Amino acid sequence: APYVKAQDKKITWRLQTYAGAALAEFVIRPAVDAFNKAANGEMEIQLYTADQLVPTGELFRAMQAGTIDAVQSDDDSMNSPVDIKVFGGYFPFASRYSLDVPTLFYEYGLAEIWDQAYTEVGVKWLSAGAWDPCNFATNKPIKALADLKGLRVFTFPTAGQFLSQFGIVPVTIPFEDVPVAMQTGEIDAIAWSGITEVFTSGWVDVTKYFLTNNVSGGWAGSFFANADRWNEVPEHLKTLFNLCMDSSHYHRLHWYWGGEAKLRAEGGRLELTSIPDAEWKTVEDAAHVFWDEVAKQTPRTAKVVEILKKYNADMEKAGKPYRYG
Amino acid sequence: MPDALKTYVRVVDAFNRRVGRIVMYGIFVLMGILLYSSASKMMLLPANWTLEMAQFVMAAYFLLGGAYSLQLDSHVRMDLLYSKWSPRTKAAVDVVTILMLFVYLFFMLYGGVSSTAYALKFGETSYSAWSPYMAPIKIIMVVGIFLTFLQATSILIKDVATAIGRPLA
Amino acid sequence: MSYEMIALLMFSSMMMSMLTGQRVFAAIGVVGVVAAALLWGNGGFELGFSANMKLLKWYALLTLPMFIFMGYMLSESGIAEDLYKAFHVWFGGVRGGLALGTIGLMVVISAMNGLSVAGMAIGATIALPELLRRGYDKIMVSGVIQAGSSLGILVPPSVVMVLYGMIARQPVGQLWLAGVFPGLLLALLFAIYVVIRCWINPALGPALPPEERDMPLIEKLKLAQAGVLPFLIFFLMMGLFLMGITSLVESSAVGALGSLFAAWFKGRLTWEMWNRVLEQTLGITCMFMWIIMAALCFGAVFDGLGAVKAIEGLLVGEMGLGPWQILILMQVSFLIMGAFLDDTAMLVIVAPLYIPLVGKLGFDLVWYGVLYTITCQIAYMTPPFGYNLFLMRAMAPPEISLIDIYRSIVPFVLIMILGMIIIMAFPQIALWLPQHVYVRG
Ligand code: NA
Ligand code: NA
């Protein structure tokens, strides 16, 4: 941004999140505001919400080309040209709790793998965090796997590929179009988030039921930046940005953890339904077949699957409260 | 006008007309996909490709059709002043202002080529579960913009001819 | 330079570029891509094409070519002639009766397509020659046809409401239902105007001689069969959608297929007609899509400059206006812009700035969609830039001059503004139907 920069004598970044405007107020705006305040005029981050400057599917491309400087998204949604993008967003049954995600990244070695993969394609991977679990919000009650058959579902590409075997038809549309698409019949269900986001994004107005079984316990997403832009940032502002990303991750951890429980416990506008655990077990088993297929794609995906397996085995072994039964 | 330019105009116009006459049937492809989508949904066997495929067909329809629509003069103008001018004045002004069209198309072409190169290099697939390769539709888009660019040059030549008082028939 | 100044500069450059008479999409697009490049350097070079990728995902636009195809098919199918004959016989005896019949025809045509083009084509080719032959006042009937055909975007289905729904993120089905009574209200107001004018001055719309319209009741009822096909098409499109059987874009395809069958059924499908319809459908679709594509690029830069916040800051903060004052100011600005700007560009560029504020002020966005649609109808008719004006000029017989066309719209624009004020004062006219008929869309 040479023209504007010369005028303002400060670094200006355009950061686009994949969250829509309403949700962004909770999950990214506070961190950006905090950064801008603390940067004290030396640097300013301008926040853009889902599809505002560029369509979500083009986020990676736009960041690489410099149309935007930074992105908050999962690898799957932003369509990263890296083999590990399948693990971003909701990789089926990779995590049980949101805390699993940072543990996998920072204690089990995913961070190094991500850093290397994105360096190869000229983008700086900055930091990963967890969001909410992935449940279904629907207009008809889902009480058995068979009820999912034939539903057109707004969901993440990878989750959609996985769920297709149970008869759902995954549909991708811009995030902000979801409520209208529910009403115009373009989609019949949403498998994109936990119950907190169903409320925050206003999807509660167009759905009636919430399926408590989840496909994943925690969304895995990251902050990314155009590598050149990141290198231009002075060290002290890099540190500040890191702190703000951490604070954003931290806030989401308790916001979702508490939100999911509270909205389920207090009930209200969505009726909760469940598929019996024994039946849901078939979905979980199918996920492990899916893992093995993904592991065959590249040595790197094999490595990630190996880590996921090791981690889940450790958690099983650790027993309660890490894993029950 | 030099013969070479006349030939150029004739070839470009004829080619774009041919493309447009084929592309205009794309509406039935679009209709077919949407009707199939509806029918398959009723039989509880909806496909995961219909909506996205329809979007691709739509993009091909209006981008490949862009050149022919310029030729047909389908695009509106704000004619507050324009409508009062003689054909020759109109042509003379268009010779200058068509620069706006060229600049716009140039940037579209630049972005399109860059985006297509990216799609080819990384084997980009669409952000969806169906996940088709993006290169084919991007190539079609670029071709459409390029043909529109060619049509604009043909129009420029015709406008110059009209402006200097020797219109091409 | 402040961002507000840049935004202002962009908007005025766009208006200047358009004044040169260059194609509207090029005038909008060039400002968008150049501004992006100047502001964001290399990074901005690709914003034009990026807007195109965004457009790819606007699935509701798939309805656009379908509705355009449907409109042309219907206007060529001969359905309108039969209908007009029926209206002719029923209303002919009243002073100004043929003009009333034309309004009725326009309402029915409006219920079968989503734009004003079909209504204009039918009005200018079928109704207008007949009205002039019968000695109707040319200025009055020119206005009747332009205003009547504009109901195409208010009476469902409506392309403008599809676009508005995309941008305001409001359910299209609700918007369409909200347009029903306002559409009928406007038609009624037009009719009252015609009746009053002809009552004061019978020469404006002489009644038909009895021998042309006296026929046994059974014959008159037979003519009503002309309404069967339009009803079927309306049902195929709206009914299946509202019942939840087809999705929005699917129902537009069903409607398009229905219009094709209607033309075939009436024996109008000739090779020549076929080519004309397909060519016009491509041309008009390209016109709309290229404007939207350019406007999306312009809008992305505009939005990127924080124009939404600037507008809010100006109206709420600096000017300290109340909700209703702001709403009225917005409508007035739409009316002024609508005189000069293409309504699609206006929607893509300006509406995203206004709509968040309208929502924040506590107004219903479905109701606002109806108000916005009426401003579009007015924009179609107000010079210098308006689709109905262009079409009227292209299709009207030579005895109707440009001045006649400009004069003809004055009373109807005033009536539409009156209609808009009534709907502002009584939102239930728009909202009763969507609130009482449950639809998922
Ligand atoms: Na309509
Ligand atoms: Na106008």
Side-chain angles (χ1 to χ4, degrees), chain C residues 146-224:
Chain C
Q146 290 185 73
S149 67
S150 79
L151 293 173
I153 61 172
L154 185 59
V155 173
S158 158
V159 165
V160 170
M161 284 182 174
V162 169
L163 286 170
Y164 175 87
M166 284 313 295
I167 286 174
R169 318 273 183 191
Q170 294 300 308
V172 175
Q174 298 277 321
L175 284 165
W176 282 1
L177 285 177
V180 172
F181 285 122
L184 296 176
L185 172 72
L186 286 186
L188 182 69
L189 292 176
F190 298 157
I192 292 173
Y193 169 76
V194 167
V195 168
I196 292 175
R197 287 286 313 269
C198 294
W199 179 65
I200 295 170
N201 181 3
L204 294 177
L208 284 190
E211 60 273 20
E212 280 198 50
R213 55 192 158 82
D214 275 353
M215 55 172 75
L217 186 64
I218 187 83
E219 290 290 314
K220 282 194 178 185
L221 287 177
K222 260 190 190 157
L223 282 173

Side-chain angles (χ1 to χ4, degrees), chain C residues 107-115 151-159 234:
Chain C
V107 172
V108 179
I109 299 297
S110 294
M112 288 190 292
N113 87 102
L115 292 162
L151 293 173
I153 61 172
L154 185 59
V155 173
S158 158
V159 165
F234 182 74

Side-chain angles (χ1 to χ4, degrees), chain A residues 92-93 136 145-146 148-151 157-170 215 281-291 293-294, chain B residues 48 129:
Chain A
F93 298 98
F136 282 82
L145 274 181
L148 292 173
K149 201 165 159 26
L151 289 186
T158 303
Q161 276 161 3
F162 168 66
L163 288 167
S164 297
Q165 58 185 297
F166 302 102
I168 76 138
V169 180
V215 179
K281 181 80 168 51
T282 57
V283 182
E284 239 179 296
D285 292 342
H288 292 114
V289 177
F290 187 72
W291 287 19
E293 283 163 20
V294 170
Chain B
N48 68 354

Side-chain angles (χ1 to χ4, degrees), chain A residues 212-251:
Chain A
T212 59
N213 310 71
N214 68 43
V215 179
S216 163
W219 176 92
S222 300
F223 285 92
F224 305 86
N226 176 299
D228 295 337
R229 292 293 91 71
W230 176 254
N231 291 333
E232 287 162 16
V233 175
E235 280 308 314
H236 70 288
L237 289 175
K238 280 183 182 162
T239 306
L240 180 61
F241 195 66
N242 281 324
L243 288 171
C244 286
M245 288 187 292
D246 283 347
S247 115
S248 165
H249 296 323
Y250 172 70
H251 173 256

